[in-house]
Amino acid sequence: MSGETRDVLGHYMEQQLRKHEPWDVIVVGAGPGGSIAARDCARQGLKTLVIDKRQELGTPVRCGEGLGQVWIKIAGLEYDPSWCLQEMRGAAITLHNGEEIVIETENRGYIIERKEFEKRLAEHAIAEGATYIVKTLVNGVIMDEQGCVAGIKCKNMEGEFEVKAKLVIAADGVDSQIARFAGIRTHVPVTEVDTGFQYYMTNMKIKHPNLIHLFIGNDVAPRGYVWIFPKADDKANVGIGITGWHEKTPKWYLDKFINEHPEYFENASIAELNGGCCPVTNPIKKPYAAGLLVVGDAAHMVNAIHGGGIGNAMEAGRIAATVAKEAVEANDFSEGFLKLYNDRFLEIRGNQLNRVVKVRKFFEKLSDADIESLHSFFKGKENDVLTFSEGDKLKTFASLFARNPRLAVIAAKTLLTG
Amino acid sequence: MVTKLKIDGVKCIYCGGCTSVCPVTALTLKEIYIDIDQDTCTQCNACVKFCPVDAISLVQIEGQK
Ligand SMILES: Cc1cc2nc3c(=O)[nH]c(=O)nc-3n(C[C@H](O)[C@H](O)[C@H](O)COP(=O)(O)OP(=O)(O)OC[C@H]3O[C@@H](n4cnc5c(N)ncnc54)[C@H](O)[C@@H]3O)c2cc1C
Ligand code: SF4
Ligand code: SF4
């Protein structure tokens, strides 16, 4: 054979990459953060390209799929039966001694179908004018002479490409590398991530089909919890998240739990299996650099108590899109200008997420017995558990817990710091 | 003898967690497998500790440098 290369693959993806180059915005990652950012950018008239490495958006799922209705509103979305599955009206928390605490709340939520959800979000963004490319790995950023991010490098079956943009939004999730390419440290210490494992099971017997079920206790899930999130009356995501390293894997603990609870699982079976990683730490201090904004899990914008991050990612995506529009109008992509993004994020959500980290640190120090005595403070005021876990009124709670000397010390060291 | 990082493809559920705890970006999740850059890896063990299904290990390989 001669050295000639056969052109057999076509160039449609490359054409799409080049359609509006230089782009106003390139979004890396078509998860909830990326697609909401892209929708809002495109809606404001910005030329927007979204690149994702996956060949099918929405899979593999790495999520328990719980989403509060407030987040749906914040994201500018509406109820959609294709992805809003079972309605949740609260939580049933089972302590290590078997005692069950039921919390019903006004703030309802859904267990969603992420495989559909992420496709819908992409469709919304495309309808607003965004261009999408899948099965394309972004493996570098273009830096201009001033050290400003000026586009991305990527690779797919058609070849390797450099694509220019005024602004890059890194919404590349917890396995984020884009920000690292631009010099921002995003790796999470292994002591500050939840390692998660989950089965999707059907033919279960679910005690409360409209409540999320949480099971805590050091034998059940060390520094974490087991969850049952019902997706229908007899189907659920059954998962576990534990923090740090333990002798046994999360899968081991989850399998044990399932074996110990035939009342749920006797006739059930596994139809899907997945897992993942949640940073349960503070959002990164500087989720921006010249020419770059970092959104969602990539910037650790996760609730450190329950590991939920879909809503935060979408909210951050919206904030990023407004700043993107202002930056394009001002033609200013400097770090000084893009700092605006973090200022707004902190005000709207970041400060709260930082307080939630304190609550997490508080919980991490509690023994099973402490949790029981903590429970006595919340008897009859179960909704306060939610207020506390959202990081609100920390001082009030700390003085409440002060009636128990051990809890007082722990609260002083965690809730009342800096 | 040389020590290398190895991922058991039968166990791996491509959750991507190992890539986020790696301090030196030696791991990349390429859709459904993990690419290891052995030269960059410092064998710090963080990813081994993280993996939810015990798919990663440091193994001794004989007769290689
Ligand atoms: C086990 C588990 C359970 C969870 N349960 C919940 C829950 O019940 N509720 C909740 O709200 N949150 C939950 N979370 C967290 C939630 O999944 C994340 O917070 C959310 O997905 C973050 O969205 P994102 O848009 O920031 O990133 P992601 O959803 O991770 O999206 C990132 C996208 O970027 C793409 N990408 C990454 N790198 C590249 C690259 N180099 N090139 C191209 N594309 C790239 C990926 O393919 C992906 O599509 C859970 C997480 C885990 C691990
Ligand atoms: S942490 Fe384990 S299961 Fe997850 S991608 Fe890495 S090797 Fe695979
Ligand atoms: S051992 Fe450490 S350096 Fe090597 S891949 Fe794992 S986390 Fe990265």
Side-chain angles (χ1 to χ4, degrees), chain A residues 53 55 174-175 177 180 188, chain B residues 15 19-20 25 27 29 31:
Chain A
K53 66 184 174 185
Q55 81 178 27
V174 76
D175 42 315
Q177 299 198 326
R180 297 191 198 185
V188 210
Chain B
C15 73
T19 67
S20 56
T25 319
L27 303 172
L29 172 61
E31 220 181 333

Side-chain angles (χ1 to χ4, degrees), chain A residues 28-35 51-54 57-58 62-67 114 118 136-139 171-178 181 194-198 227 229 240 274-278 295-298 301-302 306-311 313, chain B residues 28-29:
Chain A
V28 182
S35 280
I51 305 179
D52 201 288
K53 66 184 174 185
R54 293 184 289 179
L57 299 182
R62 295 183 293 189
C63 185
E65 305 182 296
L67 186 64
R114 263 189 91 157
E118 291 192 24
T136 299
L137 178 79
V138 175
N139 56 4
D172 50 338
V174 76
D175 42 315
S176 149
Q177 299 198 326
I178 309 311
F181 296 141
D194 253 5
T195 145
F197 184 80
Q198 178 173 269
W227 66 79
F229 283 8
I240 183 170
N274 52 54
C277 161
C278 289
V295 159
D297 270 20
M301 294 167 175
V302 176
H306 50 65
I310 302 172
Chain B
T28 309
L29 172 61

Side-chain angles (χ1 to χ4, degrees), chain A residues 148-179:
Chain A
C148 176
V149 174
I152 56 90
K153 298 174 187 174
C154 65
K155 190 175 169 180
N156 65 20
M157 63 176 83
E158 293 178 10
E160 294 194 30
F161 309 99
E162 293 199 355
V163 190
K164 294 205 176 74
K166 295 176 184 163
L167 181 71
V168 172
I169 297 182
D172 50 338
V174 76
D175 42 315
S176 149
Q177 299 198 326
I178 309 311

Side-chain angles (χ1 to χ4, degrees), chain A residues 264-326:
Chain A
Y264 286 92
F265 301 108
E266 197 172 12
N267 298 310
S269 218
I270 303 165
E272 189 180 323
L273 163 171
N274 52 54
C277 161
C278 289
V280 285
T281 174
N282 304 79
I284 59 174
K285 287 224 161 61
K286 199 171 143 271
Y288 58 93
L292 179 79
L293 299 176
V294 191
V295 159
D297 270 20
H300 310 166
M301 294 167 175
V302 176
N303 180 304
I305 286 283
H306 50 65
I310 302 172
N312 300 315
M314 296 195 294
E315 184 175 61
R318 298 206 84 171
I319 302 170
T322 56
V323 173
K325 170 76 174 168
E326 289 165 38

Side-chain angles (χ1 to χ4, degrees), chain B residues 7 11-18 29 34 47 50-53 55-56:
Chain B
I7 293 183
K11 290 184 183 169
C12 174
I13 56 175
Y14 35 93
C15 73
C18 52
L29 172 61
I34 296 288
C47 59
F50 168 78
C51 180
V53 291
I56 319 182

Side-chain angles (χ1 to χ4, degrees), chain A residues 343-355:
Chain A
D343 294 345
R344 287 187 196 161
F345 169 73
L346 282 173
E347 193 185 319
I348 296 173
R349 190 65 55 191
N351 292 328
Q352 185 211 346
L353 294 182
N354 285 327
R355 289 196 303 274

Side-chain angles (χ1 to χ4, degrees), chain A residues 214-410:
Chain A
L214 306 174
F215 301 82
I216 55 180
N218 269 315
D219 292 341
V220 181
R223 295 174 69 202
Y225 59 88
V226 164
W227 66 79
I228 296 177
F229 283 8
K231 293 181 85 169
D233 287 353
D234 67 338
K235 306 181 210 317
N237 288 327
V238 181
I240 183 170
I242 61 181
T243 315
W245 187 79
H246 304 275
E247 201 50 52
K248 306 283 197 231
T249 62
K251 178 177 180 301
W252 185 90
Y253 283 102
L254 185 64
D255 290 359
K256 173 162 116 33
F257 176 84
I258 291 171
N259 282 320
E260 288 170 356
H261 291 276
E263 72 278 19
Y264 286 92
F265 301 108
E266 197 172 12
N267 298 310
S269 218
I270 303 165
E272 189 180 323
L273 163 171
N274 52 54
C277 161
C278 289
V280 285
T281 174
N282 304 79
I284 59 174
K285 287 224 161 61
K286 199 171 143 271
Y288 58 93
L292 179 79
L293 299 176
V294 191
V295 159
D297 270 20
H300 310 166
M301 294 167 175
V302 176
N303 180 304
I305 286 283
H306 50 65
I310 302 172
N312 300 315
M314 296 195 294
E315 184 175 61
R318 298 206 84 171
I319 302 170
T322 56
V323 173
K325 170 76 174 168
E326 289 165 38
V328 168
E329 269 170 2
N331 196 28
D332 186 348
F333 303 94
S334 66
E335 215 172 89
F337 190 91
L338 297 181
K339 179 175 176 293
L340 200 57
Y341 164 64
N342 197 37
D343 294 345
R344 287 187 196 161
F345 169 73
L346 282 173
E347 193 185 319
I348 296 173
R349 190 65 55 191
N351 292 328
Q352 185 211 346
L353 294 182
N354 285 327
R355 289 196 303 274
V356 173
V357 173
K358 293 185 182 181
V359 180
R360 177 179 181 96
K361 294 204 166 128
F362 172 77
F363 273 111
E364 281 193 348
K365 296 210 161 38
L366 303 184
S367 66
D368 288 342
D370 292 333
I371 300 248
E372 269 176 55
S373 41
L374 188 70
H375 179 206
S376 66
F377 291 116
F378 287 111
K379 277 237 165 79
K381 292 178 285 184
E382 271 72 16
N383 265 297
D384 281 1
V385 176
L386 301 180
T387 314
F388 181 49
S389 67
E390 290 301 328
D392 294 333
K393 302 191 184 156
L394 293 190
K395 280 198 184 124
T396 316
F397 285 111
S399 47
L400 180 70
F401 305 152
R403 283 187 269 155
N404 171 318
R406 228 187 91 82
L407 292 184
V409 175
I410 300 175

